[in-house]
Amino acid sequence: MSDLRKINIDGTEHEVPAEYTLMQACEEYGGAEIPRFCYHERLSVAGNCRMCLVEWVGAPKPQASCALQVKDLRPNRDGTPANIRTNSEVVKTAREGVMEFLLINHPLDCPICDQGGECDLQDQAMAYGRDSSRFEENKRAVDDKHMGPLVNTIMTRCIQCTRCVRFVTEVAGVQEIGLVNRGEDAEITTYLEKSLTSELSGNVIDLCPVGALTSKPYAFNARPWELEKIESIDVMDAVGSNIRVDSRRGAVLRILPVNNDAVNEEWISDKTRFVWDGLARQRLDRPFIRENGKLRAASWDEALAVVAEKLSGDPTKIAAIAGDLCDAESMKALKDLMGQIGTTHIDCRQDGSLIGGSGAQRESYLFNSTIEGLEDANAVLLIGTNPRHEAPLINTRLRKAWIAGDLEVGLIGEGVDLTYDYEHLGLSPADLSKFVKSKKGFSQTFKKAKNAAIIVGTGALRGKASLALLAEVGKFAKATGATVNILHTAASRVGGLDMGFVPGEGGMATDAILHAAASGAIETVYLLGADELDGSKLKNAFVIYQGSHGDSGAHVADVILPGAAYTEKDGLYVNLEGRVQMGVRAVSPKGDAKEDWAIIRALSGHMNRVLPYDNLGALREKLFADHPSFMSLGNIADKAEFDPSTLGQGAGKAVKLSNTPLRNPITDFYLTNPIARASNVMAECSAIIDDNLKEAAE
């Protein structure tokens, strides 16, 4: 239990934890509102804006409440608790003075500033500022800085709160922004005038309390009061970041983070934030049928009739693969339809992973430490993964624990910049065996750790050899008490595994389906948003593609059924830790496109195999009845006891740990899915990274 101290806030005595700052104590216990610019709950204390001044009765001057802790207060001479005033005349005068100084050089360009309407400086100037200024000197001007294609700079507006500097250094872990010079010449700049390269750089836009750093792709598009705001779930990775989708007249104009301490805190990756322009480009907005090698537009009835005919053949020659961005309802509808047809050739693991097969215990494919729980880990072993690109918000948690000082990290796989120190233990699965047997260095640290975690990336889960690796991981985890975590990269993966969208008895997995399609053993393949496949192996099969974008899946399709993007439909998603979350429709589907579950329901009618639900509510009832874990909306379903030594069952004694180096599944962070590949902004970011790599190589 924390040490409590008595403190008098605005005339009322309270018992407050000693480690609280005065700002926290006054707001949480005293109910006061303390203005601030430089202070942020998730960043270190700078104490340089002075807007949060309060009066400590008896002190010679007002105190910065963000930088003074309750335990630093001494009692009054008569032994009574220290008196803090947040609304006295001294405080009012001090805040007016600070605001007057902040506005000395700030330009009066609110009418053309993208921050207008949601600007901390505007709001606090109205609430705490004077109605006039005594300064008549010319305002200073500062050159704008180049920070790349994402962050727009108007540095004359900057008030040097240094939030951006602290975020990039402390959270993102790349020292790319700093404060140079002193006094009136002080300014925020990037080092060497280079573009920001962090995959989290867009968060400085939210942190900036004025209009100095704004969104370059969103510039001059809309005012905040013109936008419709819908809270939803991100699908760019498997973290399930909580987001807000802002739209106007049916077009998504920006995506912002929503605070969720258990998942993404209040950060999102640049891909999540800026991919929105890809939602309007290369869209599939009507059904198409391929005739004589060319696609032609068709009606829904005509396209569904062709698909129904193809799915009415031999069920052993029909297969279905679900992609990475699918919602749970659409996968459930397709699974039920394939079940009625009688095929067992279904798979939601389009990357060829073998984890989570039929009958697998749920804990065998989840991130069991939970995202928030990673902060308590004191030893982490990464295998075949680069969390900085596969799940940037997982990487920030690891960095957060590392900064706290008691986390040590080891890596088996490709060496990468993770923004924190780690010991590189080898490149291949065979190096895991050496690590397990070692009795020195990080191996000993890991074995002695009270809260150890093993994180296995999808780069280590492909092929039969992955089963041997999982078996070794499981035995080691059981021996050391470590928690096993699977770091998925696909938003749909855990939901698909939860509902058993995997090969049934005698069924083929993704790689086997592709080989069978190439040989002619599989004649019809249904791709539900599956674009990360080798399309050349599908040339001999009849391909039905259902999705939102004209990407690789549509290029090999014989029939295209236009679906809705994630911002255009209601849907359930299960993140990598097993947390069920609901995405909400923000705009309507484009053209004649329909919600994915509705397309499959209509198709079942054309096939005379009508699925037993006519609306989304009925579909969810069946989903909950068949798979109760989906009922835990917003939470992680209760976990069962899990024996990690059961991992990799089926590997067989003959399969040994491979000496082949592990490869991370993501080679280009900005171009991992059809929406991102349709985005001009993501293409520009990718080009900058490529240029930087070429410069480094030279």
Side-chain angles (χ1 to χ4, degrees), residues 73-108:
L73 300 177
R74 57 171 175 75
N76 296 320
R77 290 184 176 179
D78 59 1
T80 58
N83 292 307
I84 302 298
R85 299 289 178 264
T86 67
N87 53 11
S88 65
E89 193 61 34
V90 170
V91 173
K92 181 177 182 294
T93 303
R95 289 174 181 169
E96 287 178 352
V98 170
M99 180 60 70
E100 194 172 4
F101 274 117
L102 290 174
L103 293 175
I104 289 174
N105 287 312
H106 193 81
L108 299 176

Side-chain angles (χ1 to χ4, degrees), residues 495-515:
L497 296 177
D498 280 350
M499 71 176 66
F501 201 107
V502 292
E505 187 175 348
M508 289 185 277
T510 298
D511 287 344
I513 290 172
L514 294 178
H515 287 301

Side-chain angles (χ1 to χ4, degrees), residues 156-174:
T156 301
R157 300 172 185 163
C158 180
I159 61 171
Q160 286 89 45
C161 70
T162 69
R163 280 186 180 182
C164 56
V165 177
R166 284 174 285 145
F167 171 81
V168 165
T169 303
E170 298 166 10
V171 180
V174 290

Side-chain angles (χ1 to χ4, degrees), residues 265-396:
E265 297 183 294
E266 59 191 85
W267 321 124
I268 53 175
S269 74
D270 288 349
K271 184 164 54 176
T272 297
R273 183 185 298 271
F274 295 106
V275 78
W276 54 265
D277 72 311
L279 291 166
R281 301 182 69 249
Q282 298 183 18
R283 290 302 302 269
L284 300 173
D285 59 359
R286 68 187 69 179
F288 288 90
I289 297 174
R290 191 178 298 276
E291 289 182 352
N292 301 319
K294 294 184 178 180
L295 291 170
R296 68 165 178 85
S299 67
W300 271 108
D301 282 341
E302 185 183 6
L304 291 176
V306 172
V307 174
E309 181 184 352
K310 287 295 181 180
L311 293 179
S312 299
D314 184 352
T316 63
K317 296 183 178 181
I318 298 172
I321 302 173
D324 293 347
L325 309 183
C326 298
D327 57 283
E329 292 90 341
S330 63
M331 289 189 289
K332 174 61 175 171
L334 184 57
K335 179 176 183 287
D336 288 350
L337 181 60
M338 291 297 136
Q340 290 202 16
I341 292 171
T343 181
T344 56
H345 308 316
I346 63 172
D347 204 350
C348 65
R349 304 163 299 181
Q350 67 168 340
D351 57 5
S353 167
L354 295 180
I355 197 164
S358 182
Q361 187 174 337
R362 191 168 190 252
E363 288 70 25
S364 69
Y365 54 80
L366 290 183
F367 199 89
N368 292 294
S369 291
T370 73
I371 298 172
E372 193 173 25
L374 272 185
E375 295 183 20
D376 298 324
N378 42 31
V380 171
L381 174 63
L382 304 173
I383 302 176
T385 183
N386 174 7
R388 184 175 173 184
H389 285 170
E390 294 167 36
L393 279 307
I394 297 283
N395 203 58
T396 62

